[in-house]
């Protein structure tokens, strides 16, 4: 049922093809919405481990929906290797944004730095992640991690690492240092760094890879897109999902 991969996913698979004898590790993460964003989706990582040539690469695939159309910041977050601790997605059951306390200004938002206590700092940036006109993301990128770095470990692992998606429009500016959260004053009210979804990576198999084929929108969705700009919007939509 996962055989209907798109051209995009096929390219990714071909990219990993020379690694027949390599050790592949898979991780998956189900996105949990933050700050009432309504975002959901799946993230899938393929770590192509060292071969004779010593090359290592990490493929990141994101299939998500419920985002505001346009560009979004997105990162792999985690704690430093020397200070590794178990990360936790800062959902409302572990971080109550309305309850002020240490590391929580109680303003009702799970802000960038409040969340960082749970998912750590930025380890890798998913450059160019963009939601289409219907708020959907089908994104893939490959990191060359041959040189190791922040994601490296004694045994390369993405355990206790998370993905965080950012950026949504809010009615009220979160408290705290405004510049830190990238809040743009009204009328834009777009908070570029506000976390909108996060997920902790878990070990997976290839069967867990999300279907990267954009399913056709229901008729109502097409009417919405048409209403948002007619053919121009359709052309943009087609290019983003090609
Ligand atoms: Cu981030």
């Amino acid at each position: 049922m996962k055989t209907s991969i798109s051209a995009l996913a096929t390219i990714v698979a071909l990219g990993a093809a020379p690694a027949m004898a390599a050790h592949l590790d898979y991780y998956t993460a189900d996105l949990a919405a933050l700050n009432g964003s309504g975002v959901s989706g799946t993230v899938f990582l393929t770590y192509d481990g060292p071969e004779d040539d010593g090359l290592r690469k990490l493929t990141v695939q994101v299939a998500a929906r419920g985002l505001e159309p346009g560009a979004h910041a997105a990162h792999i977050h985690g704690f430093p290797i020397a200070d590794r601790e178990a990360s936790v997605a800062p959902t409302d059951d572990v971080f109550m944004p309305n309850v002020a306390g240490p590391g929580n200004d109680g303003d009702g938002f799970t802000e960038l730095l409040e969340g960082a206590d749970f998912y750590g700092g930025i380890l890798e940036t998913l450059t160019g992640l963009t939601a289409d006109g219907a708020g959907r993301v089908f994104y893939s990128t490959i990191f060359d991690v041959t040189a190791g770095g922040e994601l490296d470990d004694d045994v390369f692992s993405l355990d206790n690492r998370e993905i965080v998606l950012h950026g949504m429009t809010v009615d009220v500016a979160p408290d705290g240092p405004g510049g830190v959260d990238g809040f743009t004053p009204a009328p834009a009210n777009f908070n570029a760094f506000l976390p909108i979804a996060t997920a902790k990576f878990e070990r997976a198999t290839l069967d867990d890879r999300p279907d990267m084929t954009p399913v056709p929108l229901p008729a109502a969705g097409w009417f919405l897109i048409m209403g948002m700009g007619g053919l121009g919007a359709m052309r943009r939509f087609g290019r983003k999902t090609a």
Side-chain angles (χ1 to χ4, degrees):
M1 92 190 184
K2 297 284 171 60
T3 52
S4 58
I5 52 176
S6 71
L8 181 65
T10 305
I11 290 167
V12 170
L14 289 174
M20 279 188 299
H23 180 68
L24 297 178
D25 283 323
Y26 304 105
Y27 300 82
T28 190
D30 289 327
L31 291 168
L34 292 178
N35 293 307
S37 69
V39 172
S40 62
T42 302
V43 184
F44 192 79
L45 303 184
T46 304
Y47 170 59
D48 185 351
E51 301 175 70
D52 293 342
D53 57 9
L55 297 177
R56 301 186 300 185
K57 62 187 176 189
L58 177 68
T59 301
V60 181
Q61 294 167 282
V62 181
R65 60 176 60 218
L67 291 83
E68 289 179 44
H72 288 266
H75 312 104
I76 294 175
H77 283 251
F79 295 98
I81 293 162
D83 184 30
R84 177 175 279 207
E85 46 188 292
S87 66
V88 179
T91 47
D92 284 356
D93 52 342
V94 296
F95 179 83
M96 290 168 282
N98 289 302
V99 181
N104 185 349
D105 60 22
D107 68 353
F109 292 98
T110 302
E111 287 154 69
L112 177 68
L113 294 182
E114 292 169 333
D117 288 343
F118 295 86
Y119 47 64
I122 294 170
L123 301 182
E124 295 282 359
T125 298
L126 307 186
T127 305
L129 186 139
T130 304
D132 66 19
R136 306 184 305 176
V137 170
F138 297 96
Y139 175 87
S140 182
T141 194
I142 299 176
F143 293 106
D144 181 346
V145 290
T146 302
E150 292 277 32
L151 284 173
D152 206 348
D153 206 336
D154 294 334
V155 177
F156 192 102
S157 142
L158 285 135
D159 298 320
N160 290 323
R161 268 71 203 269
E162 300 207 14
I163 186 163
V164 184
L165 307 181
H166 304 267
M168 67 182 283
T169 299
V170 294
D171 294 332
V172 182
D175 288 340
V180 171
D181 274 343
F183 180 74
T184 311
N189 276 0
F190 186 75
N191 190 316
F193 301 140
L194 193 68
I196 56 172
T198 185
K200 180 177 175 178
F201 295 117
E202 308 284 353
R203 297 278 178 156
T205 68
L206 195 54
D207 290 339
D208 298 316
R209 185 164 64 180
D211 187 342
M212 296 289 283
T213 306
V215 272
L217 287 175
W222 285 111
F223 282 121
L224 179 64
I225 287 173
M226 296 294 278
M228 286 169 59
L231 286 176
M234 284 195 72
R235 251 181 249 119
R236 285 195 300 279
F237 179 81
R239 190 175 66 237
K240 293 271 170 52
T241 58

